[in-house]
Amino acid sequence: QVQLVESGGGLVQAGGSLRLSCAASGSPLTINTMGWYRQVPGKQRELVARFTSGGGTNYADSVKGRFTISRANAKNTVYLQMNRLEPEDTGVYYCNAFYDATYYWGQGTQVTVSS
């Protein structure tokens, strides 16, 4: 059983920055596939950024050039550095991990960007 704990959300003005963290526990091995999704009321949860099983990265078009995903493998931790935030980035951000044929989700952290 993998547990994901997110931190780092908050309220920021447009143009500002935030850094999200997600720490995974309960896995004896490195979790290769981890990433971030976000959801706003009335819409489906969407990919923001993730590491693929092959070691690459995927980003949503809307965040390319502004957000950067990184990781500390030894700690099974992923980060999302969010720069030049826009009001459209507002939402609940969820950490996701795929391990041992199972998807795991964190509890979510709220990001609010004011205009």
Side-chain angles (χ1 to χ4, degrees), residues 2-8 20-27 31 34-36 70 72-80 95-97 104-107:
V2 173
Q3 295 83 39
L4 303 174
V5 178
E6 302 115 332
S7 61
L20 305 183
S21 300
C22 172
S25 61
S27 165
I31 302 173
M34 293 184 71
W36 292 94
S70 60
N73 279 345
K75 298 181 179 179
N76 267 341
T77 300
V78 292
Y79 307 95
L80 185 67
C95 181
N96 169 267
Y104 296 91
W105 295 94
Q107 80 284 359

Side-chain angles (χ1 to χ4, degrees), residues 11-87:
L11 172 65
V12 65
Q13 288 188 331
S17 298
L18 284 173
R19 188 191 194 211
L20 305 183
S21 300
C22 172
S25 61
S27 165
L29 302 174
T30 297
I31 302 173
N32 292 322
T33 307
M34 293 184 71
W36 292 94
Y37 290 71
R38 70 185 174 199
Q39 190 166 23
V40 297
K43 293 189 177 181
Q44 287 188 330
R45 195 171 295 185
E46 62 177 2
L47 172 71
V48 176
R50 68 176 179 180
F51 286 101
T52 66
S53 58
T57 55
N58 294 140
Y59 289 92
D61 288 342
S62 61
V63 308
K64 286 179 180 177
R66 300 187 298 120
F67 291 10
T68 303
I69 190 170
S70 60
R71 68 188 306 163
N73 279 345
K75 298 181 179 179
N76 267 341
T77 300
V78 292
Y79 307 95
L80 185 67
Q81 178 66 43
M82 304 186 293
N83 298 328
R84 304 199 317 271
L85 281 160
E86 303 170 353

